[in-house]
């Protein structure tokens, strides 16, 4: 694959589906991605969201690891303000011991939840302010160079699980550059600061023991289908799902009601989130991704395959890989 591709799996719980069927779909998605040469699959930590099944990120990674062989698996990301660095070092050290050389640890600064959920997690509302220090503490546990006298991560000590800084603003770009870590930008839902963040990261990057040269991973939505009409149908279905999730206040909506929600302002918000979406048949998707990787100045793309059914997501994984493999070098 000429453009290194990875997958961001949000483990969606579709209408009428269960958490169990969502997890089975994540296994199938990782297997399909492995079969078609994708580099890694990452799972995002979200809490108190009825449509997402990846809240226990490390547990999901462990399950998928048992059903795959070679593809890298990781977090995209663990929201470090929700956890102690020691706990995450132990969890991902355990994963690395189980699946050596296959585990990534992407770290985000946002708590990813509301005030009530933060209380339920027993976290301090100001915990995000210590994110840089927490990253250093976590990195030290994994390197066997603890910053807390007498405390080691077991498992985890000296595992050197690779760290990635995630972000949707320039804050993460500056931090990743200062620490010499790879940087992943969430342009699949927060595209506004992409160019400024990547430019700052590349300009300020300092080599480290983990990374000699800057490495940028850019998020992008993909809706690949056998026909353009089918891709458009999937896009509209995802717009409805996002409108209900973001603005539905826990209510159930028919498709017609969801379309009204989109017309009343939700559509503008969602379309801004979907600024970067490769939509259509394989040639159309390949053309968009070729242009996006240059626009984002990215070394790797991490793709959120957006579709309302597991079958459509799996088909998008296959078509995207085949399309890029067929592009002449």
């Amino acid at each position: 694959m000429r453009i290194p591709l990875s997958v961001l799996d949000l483990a969606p719980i579709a209408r009428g589906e269960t958490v169990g069927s969502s997890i089975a779909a994540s296994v199938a998605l990782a297997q399909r991605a492995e079969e078609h040469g994708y580099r890694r699959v990452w799972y995002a930590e979200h809490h108190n969201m009825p449509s997402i099944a990846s809240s226990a990120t490390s547990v999901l990674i462990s399950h998928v690891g048992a059903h795959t062989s070679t593809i890298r698996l990781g977090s995209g990301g663990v929201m470090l303000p929700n956890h102690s660095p020691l706990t995450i070092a132990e969890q991902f050290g355990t994963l690395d011991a189980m699946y050596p050389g296959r585990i990534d640890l992407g770290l985000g600064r946002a708590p990813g939840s509301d005030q009530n959920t933060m209380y339920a997690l027993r976290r301090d509302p100001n915990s995000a302010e210590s994110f840089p220090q927490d990253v250093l503490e976590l990195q030290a546990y994994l390197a066997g160079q603890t910053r807390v006298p007498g405390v080691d991560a077991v498992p985890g000590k000296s595992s050197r699980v690779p760290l990635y800084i995630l972000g949707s603003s320039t804050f993460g770009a500056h931090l990743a550059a200062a620490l010499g870590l790879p940087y992943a930008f969430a342009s699949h839902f927060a595209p506004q600061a992409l160019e400024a963040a990547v430019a700052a990261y590349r300009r300020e990057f300092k080599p480290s023991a983990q990374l000699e040269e800057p490495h940028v991973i850019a998020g992008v939505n993909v809706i690949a289908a056998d026909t353009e009409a089918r891709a458009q149908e999937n896009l509209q279905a995802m717009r409805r799902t996002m409108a209900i999730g973001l603005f539905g206040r826990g209510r159930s909506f028919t498709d017609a009601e969801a379309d009204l929600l989109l017309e009343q302002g939700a559509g503008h918000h969602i379309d801004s989130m979907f600024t970067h979406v490769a939509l259509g048949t394989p040639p159309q998707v390949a053309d968009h991704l070729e242009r996006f990787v240059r626009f984002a100045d990215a070394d790797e793309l991490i793709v959120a395959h957006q579709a309302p059914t597991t079958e459509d997501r799996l088909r998008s994984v296959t078509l995207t890989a085949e399309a890029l493999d067929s592009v002449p070098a």
Side-chain angles (χ1 to χ4, degrees):
M1 210 177 287
R2 291 179 55 240
I3 301 173
L5 277 188
S6 296
V7 174
L8 177 64
D9 182 4
L10 300 176
I13 306 171
R15 185 186 304 178
E17 296 293 325
T18 65
V19 171
S21 61
S22 170
I23 291 171
S26 287
V27 170
L29 193 71
Q31 291 172 333
R32 183 69 59 90
E34 181 174 83
E35 176 186 350
H36 286 282
Y38 286 74
R39 180 172 291 185
R40 62 186 102 239
V41 181
W42 281 0
Y43 304 94
E45 176 189 345
H46 292 283
H47 298 280
N48 194 32
M49 297 187 71
S51 61
I52 294 178
S54 55
S55 55
T57 313
S58 60
V59 179
L60 182 58
I61 292 169
S62 178
H63 178 66
V64 176
H67 292 84
T68 52
S69 301
T70 57
I71 196 165
R72 298 190 67 88
L73 302 169
S75 57
V78 160
M79 299 296 105
L80 197 53
N82 294 338
H83 311 274
S84 73
L86 176 61
T87 297
I88 297 304
E90 291 169 341
Q91 290 179 6
F92 279 78
T94 300
L95 289 169
D96 180 72
M98 296 168 68
Y99 309 110
R102 294 181 58 199
I103 301 301
D104 299 328
L105 178 46
L107 301 169
R109 175 172 174 255
S113 54
D114 55 37
Q115 291 287 339
N116 288 341
T117 306
M118 286 200 73
Y119 168 77
L121 289 166
R122 297 298 190 268
R123 304 308 297 166
D124 183 335
N126 298 317
S127 56
E129 295 178 7
S130 64
F131 180 68
Q133 294 76 27
D134 289 346
V135 171
L136 290 171
E137 183 179 332
L138 171 58
Q139 186 179 48
Y141 286 131
L142 296 172
Q145 300 168 351
T146 180
R147 290 177 164 231
V148 183
V151 178
D152 285 315
V154 182
K157 181 179 180 180
S158 300
S159 62
R160 300 188 184 278
V161 173
L163 302 184
Y164 299 74
I165 300 297
L166 279 57
S168 57
S169 69
T170 57
F171 179 92
H174 295 307
L175 180 62
L179 299 182
L181 296 175
Y183 180 54
F185 191 88
S187 37
H188 63 291
F189 76 90
Q192 290 78 13
L194 171 61
E195 292 173 278
V198 171
Y201 170 70
R202 291 195 180 278
R203 182 175 62 249
E204 299 172 15
F205 180 84
K206 297 178 180 178
S208 68
Q210 179 178 325
L211 194 64
E212 293 184 358
E213 300 287 341
H215 186 84
V216 172
I217 303 174
V220 60
N221 299 290
V222 169
I223 305 175
D226 291 288
T227 67
E228 189 173 356
R230 181 62 178 174
Q232 290 288 352
E233 289 173 9
N234 288 343
L235 173 61
Q236 184 63 8
M238 294 310 300
R239 293 177 78 244
R240 292 183 186 120
T241 297
M242 293 183 70
I244 294 168
L246 292 172
F247 303 103
R249 299 180 181 179
R251 289 177 48 205
S252 296
F253 286 74
T254 65
D255 286 350
E257 290 169 337
D259 288 340
L260 283 175
L261 197 60
L262 288 165
E263 292 170 8
Q264 292 168 359
H268 178 74
H269 179 81
I270 290 164
D271 290 342
S272 71
M273 295 172 66
F274 267 41
T275 297
H276 300 301
V277 54
L279 172 75
T281 61
Q284 291 172 315
V285 166
D287 179 67
H288 183 99
L289 293 182
E290 290 271 327
R291 288 184 283 111
F292 177 72
V293 76
R294 292 192 294 269
F295 171 79
D297 194 14
D299 302 292
E300 178 181 342
L301 299 181
I302 189 159
V303 172
H305 287 281
Q306 302 281 5
T309 70
T310 300
E311 291 74 19
D312 283 323
R313 285 197 300 280
L314 292 174
R315 188 62 178 152
S316 185
V317 168
T318 298
L319 293 175
T320 301
E322 292 176 350
L324 291 180
D325 278 340
S326 68
V327 174

